[in-house]
Amino acid sequence: MSARLKHHSALPGFGLTLGYTVLYLCLIVLIPLSALFVKTASLSWAQFWQAATNPRVMASYRLTFGASLVAALVNGAFGFLVAWTLVRHQFPGKRIVDAMVDLPFALPTAVSGIALTAVYAPNGWLGRPLEALGIKSAFSPLGVTLAMTFVGLPFVVRTLQPALEDLDAEVEEAAASLGANRFQVFWRVVLPALLPAFLTGVALAFARALGEYGSVIFISGNMPMKTEITSLIIVAKLEQYDYAGATAIAVVMLVASFVILLAINLLQCWASRRHA
Amino acid sequence: MSAHVATQPGRKGHPRGALRESAWVRGTFIALSLTFLGLFLFVPLVAVFTEALRKGLGTYWSSVREPDALAAIKLTLIAAGVAVPVNLVFGVVASWAIAKFEFVGKSVLTTLIDLPFAVSPVISGLIYVLLFGLHGWFGSWLAAHNVQIIFAVPGIVLATVFVTFPFVARELIPLMQEQGTEEEEAALVLGASGWQTFWRVTIPNVKWALLYGVILCNARAMGEFGAVSVVSGQIRGKTNTIPLHVEILYNEYNFAAAFAVASLLVVLALVALAAKSLVEWHTRRERALAARPED
Amino acid sequence: MSIELHHITKTFGDYVALNDVSLSVPDGEVVALLGPSGSGKTTLLRIIAGLEVPDPTPGSAIIFHGEDMASQGVGERRVGFVFQHYALFRHMTVFENIAFGLRVRPKRFRPSRAEIADRVNQLLRLIQLESLGNRYPSQLSGGQRQRVALARALAVEPRVLLLDEPFGALDAKVRQELRRWLRRLHDEIHITSVFVTHDQEEALEVADRVVVMNQARIEQVDTPEGIFHHPRTEFVMNFLGQVNLFHGRVGDGKVILGPSEFEAPEHEGTPLRPARVFVRPHEVELETEAHKEAGLPATVARVHAAGPVVRLDLVVEESGDTVQAELAPERFAELNIAKGSKVYVRPKAMTVFTGAPTEEPQ
């Protein structure tokens, strides 16, 4: 018997729905994305290299990747704390707080951009006290990091919450009955079980921060070589009709995104295999 | 983020008794968490409304009703009005194909659907400029036929469709996969046609997830900034959506007006969050009912 | 309405679920498809329903009362299917679930609202759930849901009733009750029924005819008595009920197990050869005194006296194998044995298999 591409099913409509889905994906996703790669292919290697690695762009890479990483780690640490508190502790208003964690996800990026700027600008509510301490929050790499922390906030919390809820209370009790103290139970039993979810959350926050545009450009000040993120350079090049330059940089960012997406998928495969 | 409820067996929840952290530790955790969230979430939220009302309620209303603002609202509604139904249809169709059948290449398809989440919004706009812009693939053809996509409404709609198309599918696919195909098979054996099965059995089973997907899709459609900014050209009164209008006002130092218009979107976001809580509550309740022990 | 299956083969990729299976179900009978997981029984049931399509091998056919079903899809065969996990429409009430099949008929064939209501109420009375018409499936117990699933299947007046492990997910007591209830229902309605089960007790109790399946093939089709007392293959022997297996030799008018010989006139005239000898626990006789025909020496390892019969675990001295015996309480009292006693094991009846495991018994 030949191996079938598809199991026979009594349910109708497979051909129609699959066809429509593939068609839609081609039109909306694949063809436009391929335009990107085709355009890049039209550049010579030297041109590509020049566009993708000139000093201004390199500075933006350092800022974008660096700030995203810091933001992802901050979200990792605090996100863990928040997820733990939300799952394991009770306090008044917990439902509202839980729902609000999704705010960065639901709020338009431009709105969060101007809101964050208003808060952290030199005369803003938090900016003023920080300024007094000599810390420049807005219009600096710190501002960029703060904005990226905001947008990445839900990711770690939302990937850890289900994992925490799925933990078997009995496993922790077994460890305790065998003599482990609370810290040991946490370090040796709970934390390793949460590791895949935690890493996935951090990776997602990192990916989101990398590509972030709207929330960041207001608070960053956009000074070339200092506080300019890569997405902004792409937009600037487009405004100058330098399509080639824009696509070269875009390809670099896209490849980075794909690598992270792949890493996340692998992480989730690893996680499900551990639990199988 | 889809509404998720824990599903593995075993006794769930935090351990009681000797394994609970002491009250002192608990208090610190809660305090720290609330401080972190307060700093990053509540403060900016409050700031929007404070700044919006800084020049008084009168200025607030006039900013929102100013002609360019109204044009921006209209364009945003058009973009969402097209993107949401189109992506709703796509989401339902794709979920049916992916969740109810087994076939080669399924995971490739689901990865492709997740793509807009991995791609920066600026790049999402860029790819359409590359296709339809003056120097793009179809640029000369479009110019010859006097059709404008980039820097015009169609381009904005297209970019909005791209960034929002996964939302409904991502909500439906895991749910439909979990629900399986037995109810549909039962309906077919009883003599129902494919359509009848779909409308009477499949859709009612996913109605809450569908609603939530539509709300998320709509929120993102109305709030999309990066992608739309690239394709719109930002011609005042013509190709500005609400987020772009906010940016323009802000760059002109017209802060009160910018925040006033922005507050519209904040309300929208809060509605989306409330809807999500509602959906989760319903899902949790249905699951609790379904998991009643057999007697 | 009778069902005939000719040369049905079904593969899923490399996995063979059914291998050239042919079966005939007479009109009005209850047939059980019995076998372990992976034997192909559920696949066969689904093929009858039209939920799966058999491989297009030559000669393969599905025939309902003389009519070839090849051209008729799953909605057109007028079969009632009861799923293992009920598959009730969770967002419809019990009433709406049962009415579903009637409501989705094309306008021409659809009964009026009043007629549908009548029929549904009739069925609710039949399944004894008249007061629960407005409840949702999540508000019912497992046994109640199963009855609703049955009523839903019956509402469209099917020609055949198919049930996939109908009582598998229920408690033992509820299972027994529903089994009896189903049998009574069939006595009233006389609809041709085929059900799948891995529970032999269920198959033997409910069915008119039992089809034992194993590894994509049919091992034996017979009445329950035939299956139990006259198994035709080793698999059937092993699968149903408890059984003791001895490796010995057979031929020349006797059966040799270990050091003991037993007379077996039915094996006159055949050469002595190795054989697998099956003896059911209730066919094992025990003696306490040694004599020529006494049997295999063994020691009593355990006595289970809490039940309608006394069950004994015996360890055969020579081989160390464990033999299970069942004795009536009176006989056990007569023998006056206990743990550690020495006894002699003699089989009253034996089923002997020589040659390949799928051949008939000798």
Side-chain angles (χ1 to χ4, degrees), chain A residues 35-271:
Chain A
L36 190 71
F37 289 99
V38 167
K39 185 80 192 177
T40 321
S42 72
L43 295 172
S44 76
W45 188 242
Q47 283 174 304
F48 176 84
W49 198 249
Q50 209 284 324
T53 58
N54 70 56
R56 183 176 167 195
V57 175
M58 292 298 280
S60 81
Y61 289 154
R62 277 195 297 273
L63 175 66
T64 311
F65 282 82
S68 303
L69 190 61
V70 172
L73 292 174
V74 168
N75 273 324
F78 280 96
F80 193 96
L81 184 68
V82 170
W84 186 274
T85 312
L86 284 175
V87 172
R88 296 203 165 197
H89 296 147
Q90 300 298 324
F91 53 89
K94 184 168 105 144
R95 280 268 172 77
I96 301 181
V97 172
D98 194 3
M100 290 294 281
V101 167
D102 269 348
L103 188 67
F105 201 64
L107 199 62
T109 52
V111 174
S112 30
I114 60 175
L116 286 169
T117 316
V119 169
Y120 291 106
N123 56 356
W125 290 359
L126 294 176
R128 216 201 304 261
L130 286 172
E131 189 83 9
L133 292 170
I135 304 174
K136 202 159 143 72
S137 49
F139 314 126
S140 67
L142 178 63
V144 172
T145 313
L146 286 168
M148 287 178 170
T149 310
F150 178 84
V151 297
L153 200 149
F155 289 95
V156 177
V157 178
R158 290 311 190 211
T159 41
L160 273 179
Q161 269 178 310
L164 273 167
E165 281 165 6
D166 259 7
L167 279 183
D168 209 336
E170 288 175 343
V171 174
E172 287 175 67
E173 290 169 350
S177 73
L178 288 165
N181 64 41
R182 275 204 295 275
F183 179 73
Q184 283 173 317
V185 171
F186 175 76
W187 189 252
R188 286 165 172 272
V189 176
V190 175
L191 202 54
L194 296 176
L195 200 59
F198 178 73
L199 289 177
T200 305
V202 170
L204 284 171
F206 181 62
R208 177 70 195 260
L210 265 190
E212 187 52 35
Y213 178 70
S215 318
V216 177
I217 58 168
F218 294 97
I219 198 175
S220 66
N222 304 326
M223 291 172 284
M225 301 296 289
K226 287 219 208 106
T227 61
E228 195 179 34
I229 56 171
T230 313
S231 305
L232 187 61
I233 297 189
I234 296 178
V235 174
K237 292 224 172 278
L238 275 177
E239 283 171 357
Q240 297 157 14
Y241 294 103
D242 179 7
Y243 286 10
T247 52
I249 305 172
V251 164
V252 173
M253 295 296 284
L254 205 58
V255 168
S257 306
F258 283 162
V259 167
I260 299 175
L261 196 64
L262 188 66
I264 293 173
N265 272 333
L266 287 174
L267 264 173
Q268 290 179 329
C269 268
W270 173 52

Side-chain angles (χ1 to χ4, degrees), chain B residues 179 182-183 185-192 196 200-201 204-205 207 286 289-290 292 294-295, chain C residues 46 51 74-75 79 81 83 87-92 100-101 104 138-139 141-142 152 171 174:
Chain B
Q179 289 178 343
E182 275 207 343
E183 286 186 38
E185 284 181 348
L188 288 170
V189 176
L190 286 165
Q196 285 173 316
R200 289 168 175 259
V201 177
N205 277 345
K207 56 178 185 256
E286 279 181 7
L289 281 177
R292 258 187 49 170
E294 307 280 357
D295 63 3
Chain C
R46 286 170 67 90
L51 289 170
V74 59
V79 297
F81 199 101
F83 290 80
L88 294 180
F89 304 129
R90 70 192 84 186
H91 277 96
M92 298 187 208
F100 184 84
V104 295
S138 55
Q139 297 168 301
S141 72
R152 181 178 69 175
D171 278 348
V174 179

Side-chain angles (χ1 to χ4, degrees), chain C residues 27-348:
Chain C
D27 184 21
E29 272 203 2
V30 177
V31 170
L33 300 179
L34 174 67
S37 316
S39 50
K41 47 195 202 298
T42 300
T43 310
L44 192 60
L45 198 74
R46 286 170 67 90
I47 284 180
I48 299 176
L51 289 170
E52 306 278 357
V53 173
D55 296 346
T57 45
S60 102
I62 305 170
I63 302 182
F64 286 10
H65 212 63
E67 216 187 307
D68 192 333
M69 287 289 115
S71 56
Q72 299 202 6
V74 59
E76 299 162 317
R77 294 192 184 188
R78 285 194 56 210
V79 297
F81 199 101
V82 178
F83 290 80
Q84 187 173 4
H85 298 289
Y86 329 128
L88 294 180
F89 304 129
R90 70 192 84 186
H91 277 96
M92 298 187 208
T93 60
V94 165
F95 186 96
E96 289 164 346
N97 261 281
I98 300 178
F100 184 84
L102 297 169
R103 285 187 181 164
V104 295
R105 286 210 186 138
K107 278 247 161 64
R108 286 177 293 159
F109 303 113
R110 202 182 305 168
S112 72
R113 283 189 65 176
E115 286 170 338
I116 293 182
D118 263 346
R119 179 118 182 95
V120 173
N121 285 320
Q122 204 179 45
L123 285 161
L124 281 172
R125 272 196 298 276
L126 183 69
I127 60 173
Q128 294 161 328
L129 292 176
E130 299 103 310
S131 56
L132 299 180
N134 282 324
R135 297 269 180 93
Y136 284 90
S138 55
Q139 297 168 301
L140 301 176
S141 72
Q144 290 169 330
R145 287 184 212 175
Q146 192 56 289
R147 281 183 277 167
V148 174
L150 193 58
R152 181 178 69 175
L154 290 173
V156 293
E157 290 172 334
R159 305 181 279 180
V160 169
L161 190 60
L162 304 172
L163 306 107
D164 185 1
E165 309 243 18
F167 311 126
L170 302 170
D171 278 348
K173 196 133 198 295
V174 179
R175 239 189 302 191
Q176 278 186 4
E177 277 172 22
L178 279 178
R179 248 187 256 164
R180 272 179 238 132
W181 182 84
L182 183 66
R183 185 70 230 188
R184 267 195 314 245
L185 184 72
H186 179 264
D187 291 339
E188 257 183 62
I189 302 187
H190 293 299
I191 184 175
T192 311
S193 310
V194 181
F195 72 96
V196 160
T197 181
H198 59 267
D199 182 341
Q200 39 171 300
E201 208 185 290
E202 195 166 283
L204 297 177
E205 196 185 304
V206 180
D208 294 322
R209 201 176 298 266
V210 177
V211 177
V212 181
M213 293 182 70
N214 179 37
Q215 291 189 339
R217 288 185 176 280
I218 292 182
E219 294 267 338
Q220 186 173 353
V221 180
D222 211 332
T223 60
E225 295 75 30
I227 290 278
F228 191 81
H229 292 292
H230 306 288
R232 255 187 260 127
T233 68
E234 269 188 66
F235 174 81
V236 177
M237 180 99 225
N238 250 322
F239 190 73
L240 275 96
Q242 301 272 44
V243 75
N244 295 304
L245 168 59
F246 296 91
H247 292 276
R249 282 174 302 155
V250 126
D252 205 19
K254 47 191 189 261
V255 173
I256 303 178
L257 300 176
S260 313
E261 267 185 31
F262 303 96
E263 265 193 24
E266 63 271 19
H267 294 288
E268 280 290 347
T270 54
L272 203 55
R273 60 211 189 284
R276 292 174 296 285
V277 179
F278 290 88
V279 185
R280 296 232 185 255
H282 63 267
E283 287 165 343
V284 171
E285 270 209 355
L286 299 182
E287 310 250 344
T288 42
E289 281 152 25
H291 59 263
K292 188 174 163 268
E293 290 274 306
L296 285 168
T299 321
V300 177
R302 256 204 97 186
V303 177
H304 309 265
V309 295
V310 178
R311 293 181 307 144
L312 298 150
D313 291 340
L314 310 157
V315 177
V316 174
E317 269 175 23
E318 193 225 357
S319 56
D321 290 336
T322 308
V323 169
Q324 291 193 335
E326 272 179 18
L327 298 176
E330 306 82 50
R331 175 74 187 136
F332 177 70
E334 242 174 46
L335 286 171
N336 196 19
I337 50 182
K339 177 166 168 178
S341 309
K342 181 164 165 134
V343 293
Y344 297 90
V345 175
R346 185 158 54 85
K348 259 190 302 194

